[in-house]
């Protein structure tokens, strides 16, 4: 068999069987093996996986990095891939090892490794221990589900918690002192366990919603929402109540309106049952030292290269230099910037205001 053809067959997972009935280059059997084979084997070999035995958390950080580099992996596939890799290629080299069997200290720590864009992989055992930590020090003010109340904030909507990765922001915050308590002293292990518990609660809430029932979100002040829309939020820089938002409330139910504000990348369902139009894609404009300008949708941007495809479908790639000008245009930049600034009240007020635009 010719070598190029063999490479293609190996990457597709359909290379011929050996005398022992095994496929050269095929991944070992295991739950969700086919998902890993489809998503990863086009670029990575079995030898690469076997040579990088890691914990579940480390595999999660690695897969997150691949998604950041363009891998097309859904949330469900993410969990399946990480689960398979952590079970088949565990840190101690013993296939089938559980998370509880891989608690040996690691250097550098996950707190040092994880970046702001890396998805935290929830360790269920650690989350169970973190629940004990939470009950001991947090439940009185923040409630049984960390949803907050009269005495404490909703931790599942806290920017600090959402940005946290394995205790990276929780640790410094608790160490310098809590607004209503003295500095909290937790061990590094307790801090990571608490982080797992809180991220578990966030995940459960995103999947099912509180109490598995729709919430009445029209609880804001429409007048305050109008003020926020026209001033603090800067919404009028891109939107108009007599233009693109005219009669918006007749098109969308309140939950869909809220979705369009908080998650503008997703399509919202109209009252007629159709999906809303997606926003324009991100574009990039590259100006060369000679003054030539090319604009299109980016296919890859890093510290060394910029690649894009223009409206005619032509592909361009440029090497970064001090003389190369790169401008990124994101139509949703305003929404993304507000994620770290608006409060629950701001959102409720704006939705209540938009509901008046019948």
């Amino acid at each position: 068999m010719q070598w190029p053809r063999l490479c293609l067959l190996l990457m597709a997972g359909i290379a011929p069987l050996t005398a022992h009935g095994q496929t050269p280059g095929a991944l070992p059997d295991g739950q969700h093996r086919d998902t890993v084979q489809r998503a990863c084997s086009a670029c990575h070999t079995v030898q690469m996986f076997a040579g990088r035995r890691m914990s579940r958390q480390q595999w999660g950080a690695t897969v997150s990095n691949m998604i950041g580099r363009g891998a097309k992996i859904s949330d469900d596939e993410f969990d399946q891939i990480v689960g398979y890799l952590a079970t088949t290629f565990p840190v101690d080299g013993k296939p089938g090892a559980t998370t509880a069997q891989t608690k040996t200290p690691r250097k550098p720590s996950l707190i040092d490794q994880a970046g702001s864009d890396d998805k935290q992989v929830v360790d269920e055992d650690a989350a169970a221990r973190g629940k004990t930590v939470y009950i001991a020090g947090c439940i009185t003010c923040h409630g049984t589900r960390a949803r907050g109340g009269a005495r404490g904030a909703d931790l599942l909507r806290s920017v600090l918690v959402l940005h946290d990765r394995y205790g990276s922001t929780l640790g410094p915050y608790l160490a310098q002192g809590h607004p209503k308590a003295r500095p909290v002293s937790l061990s590094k292990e307790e801090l990571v366990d608490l982080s797992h518990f809180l991220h578990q609660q966030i995940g459960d809430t995103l999947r099912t919603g509180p109490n598995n029932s729709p919430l009445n979100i029209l609880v804001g002040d429409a007048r305050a929402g109008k003020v926020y829309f026209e001033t603090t939020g800067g919404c009028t820089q891109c939107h108009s109540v007599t233009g693109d938002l005219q009669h918006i409330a007749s098109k969308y139910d309140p939950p869909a309106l809220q979705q369009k504000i908080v998650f503008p990348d997703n399509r919202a369902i109209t009252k007629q049952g159709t999906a809303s139009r997606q926003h324009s894609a991100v574009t990039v404009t590259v100006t060369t030292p000679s003054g030539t300008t090319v604009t299109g949708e980016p296919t890859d941007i890093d510290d060394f290269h910029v690649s894009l495809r223009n409206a005619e479908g032509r592909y361009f790639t440029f090497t970064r230099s001090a003389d190369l000008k790169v401008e990124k245009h994101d139509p949703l930049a305003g929404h993304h910037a507000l994620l770290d600034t608006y409060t629950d009240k701001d959102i409720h007020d704006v939705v209540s205001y938009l509901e008046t635009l019948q």
Side-chain angles (χ1 to χ4, degrees):
M1 181 179 291
Q2 294 181 346
W3 176 245
R5 175 170 171 76
L6 177 60
C7 289
L8 292 174
L9 292 176
L10 284 173
M11 289 191 292
I14 54 174
L17 296 177
T18 65
H20 299 287
Q22 297 295 320
T23 303
L27 293 167
D29 289 336
Q31 188 177 17
H32 304 307
R33 168 189 175 276
D34 292 342
T35 302
V36 180
Q37 191 82 14
R38 178 195 60 75
C40 309
S41 61
C43 298
H44 303 296
T45 65
V46 175
Q47 289 73 22
M48 187 283 292
F49 292 122
R52 297 184 62 187
R53 295 180 178 274
M54 298 185 288
S55 70
R56 180 181 177 85
Q57 295 166 336
Q58 291 170 316
W59 277 121
T62 299
V63 176
S64 290
N65 186 43
M66 294 300 101
I67 294 175
R69 292 174 179 269
K72 304 300 182 183
I73 298 173
S74 68
D75 287 345
D76 289 340
E77 290 171 335
F78 178 93
D79 293 334
Q80 293 172 10
I81 292 170
V82 172
Y84 172 84
L85 294 175
T87 302
T88 309
F89 305 107
V91 69
D92 62 0
K94 298 177 181 178
T98 65
T99 304
Q101 294 172 319
T102 60
K103 297 298 183 181
T104 53
R106 297 174 295 273
K107 293 183 179 180
S109 71
L110 287 170
I111 293 177
D112 298 325
Q113 287 182 344
S116 60
D117 292 331
D118 292 332
K119 177 179 179 179
Q120 176 160 339
V121 182
V122 174
D123 182 327
E124 299 297 334
D125 294 334
R129 296 192 300 269
K131 183 176 181 179
T132 302
V133 177
Y134 179 84
I135 291 173
C138 314
I139 195 171
T140 301
C141 295
H142 298 288
T144 57
R145 295 181 178 274
R147 296 288 299 179
R151 301 183 61 183
D154 181 348
L155 296 183
L156 306 191
R157 280 275 295 149
S158 164
V159 173
L160 183 142
V161 175
L162 292 173
H163 284 183
D164 180 78
R165 297 295 183 270
Y166 310 103
S168 61
T169 59
L170 279 174
Y173 175 77
L174 294 176
Q176 71 182 4
H178 190 283
K180 296 184 179 180
R182 61 182 181 276
V184 179
S185 178
L186 295 177
S187 68
K188 189 173 183 178
E189 290 73 20
E190 289 174 328
L191 188 62
V192 173
D193 291 345
L194 176 60
S195 175
H196 279 297
F197 170 72
L198 292 176
H199 280 280
Q200 180 192 62
Q201 298 304 300
I202 292 172
D204 290 346
T205 300
L206 290 174
R207 283 191 294 270
T208 64
N211 303 319
N212 294 317
S213 60
L215 295 177
N216 175 25
I217 64 173
L218 289 178
V219 295
D221 182 340
R223 289 175 297 181
K226 184 176 187 294
V227 172
Y228 185 88
F229 183 91
E230 296 177 345
T231 58
T232 309
C235 307
T236 55
Q237 296 178 20
C238 300
H239 303 289
S240 169
V241 296
T242 58
D244 63 322
L245 298 184
Q246 188 174 28
H247 307 307
I248 189 72
S250 65
K251 301 176 183 177
Y252 298 98
D253 290 321
L257 277 176
Q258 181 170 286
Q259 285 285 313
K260 287 183 72 65
I261 298 171
V262 181
F263 303 111
D265 295 294
N266 298 339
R267 289 191 176 188
I269 304 300
T270 67
K271 288 183 177 180
Q272 290 73 37
T274 60
S276 63
R277 180 180 63 86
Q278 285 186 312
H279 294 272
S280 302
V282 174
T283 60
V284 62
T285 298
V286 176
T287 304
T288 66
S290 64
T292 302
T293 298
V294 180
T295 298
E297 293 189 25
T299 59
D300 187 36
I301 298 180
D302 57 31
D303 293 338
F304 305 100
H305 300 89
V306 178
S307 301
L308 60 90
R309 195 175 298 279
N310 69 5
E312 289 75 35
R314 293 185 59 193
Y315 178 82
F316 298 84
T317 186
F318 304 89
T319 300
R320 291 263 198 180
S321 69
D323 298 328
L324 188 75
K325 184 179 180 181
V326 179
E327 298 176 281
K328 187 176 180 181
H329 314 284
D330 184 356
L332 300 178
H335 284 263
H336 297 156
L338 287 174
L339 285 174
D340 286 347
T341 62
Y342 58 57
T343 65
D344 283 348
K345 183 180 185 306
D346 295 330
I347 292 298
H348 292 151
D349 290 346
V350 170
V351 172
S352 295
Y353 168 59
L354 293 178
E355 182 63 16
T356 67
L357 304 179
Q358 296 290 338

